């Protein structure tokens, strides 16, 4: 078994992490979070989503946030765009405020697709196709998020064949890389491996990222299981922020701090400064009025206090 020697982490905290917050989070705080993450060495950050503000009010300040971030060379900034309306809104600003990558988001579960984006899987692909074309024509990269690749809050366990089917549809419309997401954090290593194997029928290992929520405390195990398959792109949220508005009871993504500690402990390079990352997590947690949901953050902050 050869493990990757380096891993790329996409911090999805500003988007996935904050989208479900009930309290208002000022755009300035979201901008400050992006700043803290890039200063900590993150090279990919999912900043916001251009979705309906009626569906996800917390992301209504998308344009303001994209306008406010201070871009750093070498950092890729991505946003979610579920349809052409969202894509057009994402590129309504001057070129320098465009996202580097857009994310279309589908689900391996029909029920989740309906609840999350109000259409069937097949309809979602029809909607995404012109978005993908429009993005690629403008030199904007395209990622596809695949939700519920292990389990669904409405349908229960999801068969790997459904994941393979969705991955094939994504590939068919030109999506360049995909996230295998355990939206509700029910996955365990063998199930996650099967979902990734099904995706490998359509995408190479370099084009697959692992996106694990930590509801049942399995996300680090699932990260390790994916690493052992050669996956080297992962998504996580600083301070373990998050939860999907259409996945009741699901907690946040695995904390970036915990993933970085795991990887560094295995001698795998991430380019991330763990201390600065912890500070970014503390910053946003103070805005939200709670402690970071990261065991590593807690342990290191306790040690800092002597
Ligand atoms: C997809 C829609 C828009 C369909 O929603 P719909 O109601 O079917 O859309 P519609 O086309 O019928 O339009 C209805 C209204 O929404 C407006 N609208 C339409 N599109 C947009 C847009 N892009 N931006 C702003 N406004 C929009 C449109 O203009 C219209 O406005 P009205 O005439 O009523 O005033 C809706 O279902 C939606 O916004 N869903 C968002 C769901 C979401 O953001 N979920 C969380 C992200 S997914 C996730 O977290 C999972 C992930 C990625 O992290 C991976 C994982 O862990 O699984």
């Amino acid at each position: 078994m050869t493990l990757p020697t380096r891993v790329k982490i996409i911090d999805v905290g500003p988007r996935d992490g904050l989208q479900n917050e009930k309290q208002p989070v000022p755009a300035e705080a979201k901008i400050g979070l992006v700043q803290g993450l890039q200063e900590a060495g993150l090279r990919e950050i999912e900043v916001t989503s251009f979705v309906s503000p009626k569906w996800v009010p917390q992301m209504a300040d998308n344009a303001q946030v994209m306008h406010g971030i201070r871009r750093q060379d070498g950092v890729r900034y991505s946003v979610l765009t579920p349809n052409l309306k969202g894509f057009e809104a994402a590129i309504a600003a001057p070129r320098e405020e465009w996202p580097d990558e857009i994310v279309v988001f589908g689900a391996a579960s029909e029920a989740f697709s309906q609840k999350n984006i109000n259409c069937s899987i097949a309809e979602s692909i029809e909607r995404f196709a012109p978005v993908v074309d429009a993005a690629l024509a403008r030199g904007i990269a395209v990622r596809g998020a695949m939700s519920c690749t292990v389990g669904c809050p409405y349908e229960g366990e999801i068969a790997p064949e459904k994941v393979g089917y969705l991955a094939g549809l994504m590939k068919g419309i030109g999506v360049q890389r995909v996230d295998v997401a355990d939206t509700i954090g029910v996955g365990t290593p063998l199930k996650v491996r099967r979902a990734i194997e099904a995706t490998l029928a359509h995408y190479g290992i370099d084009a697959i990222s692992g996106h694990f929520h930590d509801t049942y405390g399995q996300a680090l195990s699932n990260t390790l299981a994916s690493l052992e398959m050669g996956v080297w792109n992962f998504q996580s949220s600083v301070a373990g922020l998050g939860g999907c508005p259409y996945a009741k009871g699901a907690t946040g993504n695995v904390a970036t701090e915990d993933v970085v500690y795991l990887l560094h402990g295995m001698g795998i390079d991430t380019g991330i400064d763990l201390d600065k990352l912890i500070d970014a997590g503390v910053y946003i947690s103070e805005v939200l009025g709670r402690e970071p949901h990261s065991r590593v953050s807690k342990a290191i902050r306790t040690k800092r206090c002597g």
Side-chain angles (χ1 to χ4, degrees):
M1 176 187 61
T2 314
L3 291 171
T5 53
R6 106 191 136 88
V7 155
K8 174 85 77 71
I9 294 183
I10 306 174
D11 198 291
V12 296
R15 195 283 303 172
D16 202 355
L18 294 179
Q19 69 182 5
N20 203 30
E21 276 300 323
K22 296 289 170 277
Q23 57 180 308
V25 182
E28 272 315 313
K30 296 172 181 168
I31 293 164
L33 174 59
V34 170
Q35 185 65 23
L37 291 171
Q38 60 193 23
E39 282 172 9
L42 268 301
R43 289 295 166 262
E44 293 205 31
I45 303 173
E46 204 172 86
V47 179
T48 185
S49 58
F50 285 83
V51 299
S52 163
K54 287 183 193 148
W55 285 63
V56 184
Q58 188 61 258
M59 296 285 111
D61 57 5
N62 41 32
Q64 197 185 343
V65 174
M66 287 302 281
H67 175 70
I69 57 174
R70 288 195 297 279
R71 298 209 181 200
Q72 191 175 301
D73 281 350
V75 179
R76 177 180 279 206
Y77 303 91
S78 56
V79 304
L80 267 58
T81 56
N83 52 18
L84 268 178
K85 189 175 172 79
F87 178 74
E88 280 157 12
I91 60 160
R95 178 74 185 86
E96 59 273 16
E97 291 178 24
W98 288 7
D100 301 302
E101 182 177 60
I102 55 119
V103 185
V104 290
F105 48 106
S109 142
E110 280 293 349
F112 190 82
S113 181
Q114 289 290 352
K115 294 273 185 196
N116 195 38
I117 50 175
N118 207 23
C119 63
S120 68
I121 295 171
E123 285 164 346
S124 74
I125 295 295
E126 272 171 39
R127 279 186 197 173
F128 299 155
V131 178
V132 174
D133 291 345
L136 294 177
R138 287 165 179 80
I140 299 174
V142 179
R143 179 154 54 85
M146 304 196 297
S147 290
C148 298
T149 60
V150 185
C152 166
Y154 313 104
E155 289 182 14
E157 196 149 329
I158 296 294
E161 292 71 31
K162 293 187 176 178
V163 181
Y165 173 68
L166 177 63
L169 293 175
M170 291 271 189
K171 184 80 180 178
I173 58 167
V175 170
Q176 295 167 305
R177 57 180 188 150
V178 285
D179 314 331
V180 176
D182 179 11
T183 311
I184 54 171
V186 290
T188 43
L190 288 182
K191 290 179 184 173
V192 165
R193 289 178 80 112
R194 285 189 202 116
I196 292 171
E197 269 157 21
T199 307
L200 279 168
H202 304 280
Y203 285 92
I205 201 79
D206 295 345
I208 295 177
S209 43
H211 176 118
F212 306 127
H213 287 256
D214 204 26
T215 319
Y216 285 79
Q218 304 298 304
L220 285 182
S221 311
N222 294 335
T223 303
L224 183 56
S226 316
L227 271 175
E228 287 171 353
M229 295 178 78
V231 173
W232 60 276
N233 287 281
F234 290 95
Q235 289 152 11
S236 54
S237 280
V238 69
L241 299 171
C244 176
Y246 301 101
K248 198 163 181 273
T251 62
N253 291 88
V254 63
T256 307
E257 297 90 321
D258 296 3
V259 177
V260 167
Y261 181 84
L262 170 79
L263 296 170
H264 290 185
M266 295 172 72
I268 298 172
D269 178 34
T270 63
I272 295 170
D273 179 324
L274 182 55
D275 275 307
K276 288 187 180 165
L277 179 66
I278 287 170
D279 293 342
V282 169
Y283 163 80
I284 192 63
S285 300
E286 280 174 357
V287 171
L288 300 174
R290 58 173 184 254
E291 283 283 299
H293 287 164
S294 157
R295 306 270 288 263
V296 167
S297 170
K298 188 172 183 189
I300 292 182
R301 284 181 297 116
T302 306
K303 214 165 138 190
R304 276 182 191 172
C305 294

